[in-house]
Amino acid sequence: MKYLNPLDFLTVLHGGPVDLRDNNAVSLLRKKSLAELELADDKMLRVNGQLLSKNDLLLFFDRLQSSQELQYHQQIAADPVLSRFLQTGDMTAQIVDHPLYHDSAFLSFIAPYYEPMFTTGVVNSLKTQDVATLQYLFSSPLLLDGPHITISYRHVLRYLKALDNGLNAAIDTNRYKWKRFERFANATLITQLNILPAEFEKWRSDYGISLINLALAIYKTDLRRGQQVLTLVAQLRTTDFVQERLQVRKKELQAYKIKDRPLVDLLGSLTYRIRPYWLTDRNAGRLILALVGVAIITMGIRKMDSMPKSSPAARLRKEADLLANMRTRLPMNSLLGQLEQAMTARMGIDTTTPAPKTGDDVYGPDFMKKLTGLPYTPSFRLDEIKADEDTSIDPADASFSDSLHRQSLLLLNRLDVPMVALVQTPDSFYSRFIVAHDSIFLPLQTTANRIYFYIGQYWTRPLATQESHHIPLPGYFAASYKNANTFLRENALTFVLDPVYWRRSNRYIPVEIGADEQIYTNLLDNDASGVTLYLGN
């Protein structure tokens, strides 16, 4: 039965406040409401979302003649928490106690309205694990008489027994997945069950036994969670018998942890602080063993790859490892750092500085002076040919061939901005400026050749004196272009050339640098003969 406060009802019906002590006004509203009901198609009157029949209206107005009930309605209206709860079912705070709430006549009056809202609120709080609402419901005065207390508690107990049956059914399936048990064994639920009054202690004790059975069912698969379930039982308000059984089972699990636990479970238990909550000790241990096996296999494969081989591929791989120890490594890192800083520092743009022409070596001379202290001599000649080697050109090697530019990289700048190609080898360095939409040949050595692509806008002369340990910069790009900052290191290309192949080839390698949303590198020749290519710094 839903509660309808006559003060609110008559105010809506009249369109304003009504004095319930004015019998003439109340009688007039009675006639008005009955007339509106007769005019309705379904013979029902809707007020505040509630449908009233003719019998409901007659009973409502008859009960207004009782001064005692009128006093009850006035008290309910004066209690905003109770009034809201009776009309909406929302318990947002604790009901403040009042002497009238302990009067048996008042309890008999309010119980038919209070019981459905109270029972529904308790069950829904348990289902949604709403601890606050459940606390408000049981800490407030219990506005129920004896018969309605019995009705309410029977409904709540029916839900609790279904919860216990669900837990036992999950245990009997013999298939362990913690997600299936989590709603039956968690700290929030235990807190709620402890809020329930003493009438539910017997059920709480039965549920404690079910939780102990759960711990015994899962501890060999997931010891840590089995122990956590027993900790929850210790927090549950149960009989002394349940707590005694709990201590016995705790000792059994502790003995198993020390003596009989499989190695795979022990390994998995080491990860319980960092692994996902749904991963069991056993499955975590299995995962660790699998990862160890994969690591051992991977190390074995790498060891086999590092063994000496007579094939050219093995020699090339060994030569590529020398890049980490090249003499030009530290000066190259210094130059790259200066260029990256120049693009991000936003130190101003000097539009009066003339840009270099395609082919100008903007950084090579100063780099080599810093490296050797000797006058700069480009070191990109072909290796000397031994007298006993076959140096005749292979006629089948005809794609992208040019005898004047053999063993070179043809770099095509497809961008709308200029770029500088930085060519680094173990013992030498040179650079080439390339204006927008132009190209240039870059001679390569039969060793490791790493090419960086420095791209930007607004060629500018440095304004401040550079530090002594830096490579002198005659100029730099004052503004970046698209993803040029990350492109400089991440898209560097390292070409390792096979000297045997390139002494008999007129090939060159065409590479284009273009852009759509991002700058990209594209090799225009699919022929990989005599070349091992690495990407990135």
Side-chain angles (χ1 to χ4, degrees):
M1 183 184 299
K2 190 172 182 180
Y3 176 73
L4 181 63
N5 193 299
L7 299 175
D8 297 335
F9 174 76
L10 294 179
T11 298
V12 173
L13 197 62
H14 180 62
V18 178
D19 186 359
L20 296 180
R21 295 170 298 181
D22 187 348
N23 292 331
N24 291 331
V26 173
S27 177
L28 184 62
L29 288 174
R30 180 176 184 273
K31 294 178 181 179
K32 178 181 178 182
S33 60
L34 290 173
E36 291 182 3
L37 183 142
E38 291 297 331
L39 294 176
D41 294 335
D42 55 358
K43 302 301 180 183
M44 300 290 287
L45 184 65
R46 182 183 297 275
V47 179
N48 281 354
Q50 187 168 347
L51 291 176
L52 301 174
S53 65
K54 183 176 182 180
N55 184 63
D56 295 331
L57 282 174
L58 294 174
L59 181 62
F60 173 79
F61 282 101
D62 287 343
R63 297 185 69 170
L64 285 181
Q65 305 303 316
S66 171
S67 59
Q68 187 179 44
E69 287 198 10
L70 185 58
Q71 179 191 359
Y72 297 160
H73 289 302
Q74 290 173 336
Q75 173 56 35
I76 293 172
D79 190 331
V81 177
L82 176 58
S83 179
R84 177 185 174 89
F85 179 66
L86 290 175
Q87 296 182 67
T88 66
D90 295 334
M91 180 67 78
T92 57
Q94 181 179 335
I95 298 174
V96 179
D97 201 3
H98 188 277
L100 189 61
Y101 296 163
H102 302 279
D103 182 75
S104 59
F106 176 78
L107 294 178
S108 298
F109 162 77
I110 198 174
Y113 307 110
Y114 192 83
E115 184 275 324
M117 296 299 184
F118 176 81
T119 304
T120 302
V122 171
V123 173
N124 287 342
S125 297
L126 290 169
K127 287 181 178 178
T128 60
Q129 298 197 347
D130 184 352
V131 177
T133 299
L134 193 67
Q135 185 70 50
Y136 292 147
L137 288 169
F138 282 103
S139 61
S140 298
L142 188 60
L143 304 181
L144 299 174
D145 56 9
H148 285 89
I149 290 177
T150 302
I151 293 172
S152 177
Y153 285 5
R154 281 179 178 173
H155 282 293
V156 175
L157 189 59
R158 187 177 298 119
Y159 169 77
L160 294 175
K161 286 183 176 180
L163 185 71
D164 191 16
N165 292 336
L167 172 57
N168 290 319
I171 295 173
D172 292 340
T173 57
N174 293 324
R175 294 179 59 190
Y176 175 73
K177 282 188 177 180
W178 179 245
K179 285 186 178 180
R180 300 172 60 245
F181 298 107
E182 190 174 18
R183 73 184 187 94
F184 301 109
N186 59 80
T188 302
L189 177 61
I190 297 302
T191 301
Q192 288 186 302
L193 298 182
N194 286 335
I195 293 174
L196 299 178
E199 287 84 348
F200 295 93
E201 183 175 349
K202 181 181 183 305
W203 179 87
R204 270 197 301 262
S205 299
D206 293 341
Y207 195 72
I209 295 296
S210 298
L211 288 176
I212 292 175
N213 292 335
L214 170 61
L216 296 177
I218 69 174
Y219 79 94
K220 290 187 177 180
T221 303
D222 195 342
L223 178 62
R224 182 173 61 87
R225 286 208 175 92
Q227 292 175 321
Q228 289 176 347
V229 171
L230 293 184
T231 301
L232 294 176
V233 178
Q235 299 169 1
L236 189 64
R237 289 166 49 192
T238 62
T239 61
D240 292 340
F241 171 77
V242 175
Q243 296 301 320
E244 290 172 2
R245 300 310 304 164
L246 169 65
Q247 296 306 317
V248 173
R249 297 308 185 185
K250 272 188 173 181
K251 293 179 181 178
E252 291 182 9
L253 266 64
Q254 187 64 28
Y256 174 78
K257 178 179 181 181
I258 297 174
K259 295 181 180 180
D260 304 325
R261 202 171 185 197
L263 175 62
V264 65
D265 289 2
L266 290 173
L267 285 174
S269 66
L270 300 176
T271 66
Y272 78 95
R273 293 184 182 276
I274 59 174
R275 72 183 189 223
Y277 77 95
W278 46 263
L279 191 61
T280 66
D281 287 349
R282 183 160 299 174
N283 288 338
R286 289 170 176 169
L287 181 59
I288 291 174
L289 293 177
L291 292 175
V292 170
V294 171
I296 292 174
I297 294 173
T298 303
M299 292 173 62
I301 293 174
R302 289 182 176 178
K303 186 174 181 180
M304 293 176 62
D305 284 343
S306 64
M307 293 175 64
K309 295 182 177 66
S310 58
S311 65
R315 290 197 301 272
L316 292 176
R317 187 158 44 245
K318 194 171 183 180
E319 289 172 352
D321 293 339
L322 297 176
L323 291 174
N325 300 315
M326 63 173 57
R327 192 164 64 100
T328 55
R329 179 176 63 88
L330 292 178
M332 191 72 221
N333 286 338
S334 174
L335 176 59
L336 294 175
Q338 290 176 254
L339 297 179
E340 289 171 330
Q341 182 180 9
M343 284 194 291
T344 57
R346 302 183 180 276
M347 294 182 290
I349 299 172
D350 178 13
T351 57
T352 63
T353 303
K357 303 183 298 298
T358 296
D360 287 352
D361 189 351
V362 290
Y363 301 126
D366 291 319
F367 188 102
M368 292 302 294
K369 288 180 182 178
K370 199 74 175 180
L371 180 65
T372 64
L374 299 175
Y376 170 58
T377 302
S379 175
F380 49 80
R381 62 179 177 80
L382 299 180
D383 288 359
E384 294 182 1
I385 301 174
K386 297 180 180 179
D388 58 347
E389 287 187 10
D390 181 7
T391 59
S392 59
I393 299 301
D394 185 355
D397 186 49
S399 61
F400 295 99
S401 294
D402 185 345
S403 59
L404 295 178
H405 298 103
R406 59 190 296 253
Q407 196 178 311
S408 296
L409 184 74
L410 173 60
L411 186 58
L412 300 102
N413 182 7
R414 308 292 196 193
L415 304 174
D416 296 326
V417 296
M419 62 183 292
V420 181
L422 312 172
V423 184
Q424 177 192 14
T425 70
D427 293 299
S428 65
F429 170 87
Y430 70 95
S431 65
R432 289 292 182 266
F433 193 92
I434 311 170
V435 300
H437 303 289
D438 204 348
S439 62
I440 196 171
F441 282 95
L442 304 173
L444 303 177
Q445 293 188 19
T446 52
T447 178
N449 304 262
R450 178 169 291 162
I451 298 94
Y452 295 90
F453 306 100
Y454 175 45
I455 302 168
Q457 306 177 76
Y458 309 114
W459 186 257
T460 302
R461 187 183 304 278
L463 301 178
T465 302
Q466 301 178 50
E467 297 183 23
S468 60
H469 63 277
H470 285 169
I471 306 296
L473 296 183
Y476 61 88
F477 292 120
S480 183
Y481 176 76
K482 295 185 182 293
N483 60 319
N485 283 352
T486 56
F487 191 85
L488 177 62
R489 290 183 188 264
E490 294 179 2
N491 290 77
L493 298 179
T494 302
F495 293 87
V496 181
L497 305 187
D498 180 2
V500 175
Y501 171 84
W502 285 96
R503 283 169 182 159
R504 302 189 63 236
S505 174
N506 275 338
R507 281 182 55 216
Y508 61 87
I509 305 170
V511 175
E512 66 174 356
I513 306 296
D516 37 39
E517 294 297 326
Q518 300 286 319
I519 304 173
Y520 62 82
T521 306
N522 183 30
L523 273 69
L524 301 178
D525 185 7
N526 293 327
D527 187 355
S529 302
V531 177
T532 301
L533 178 63
Y534 299 87
L535 177 64
N537 184 359

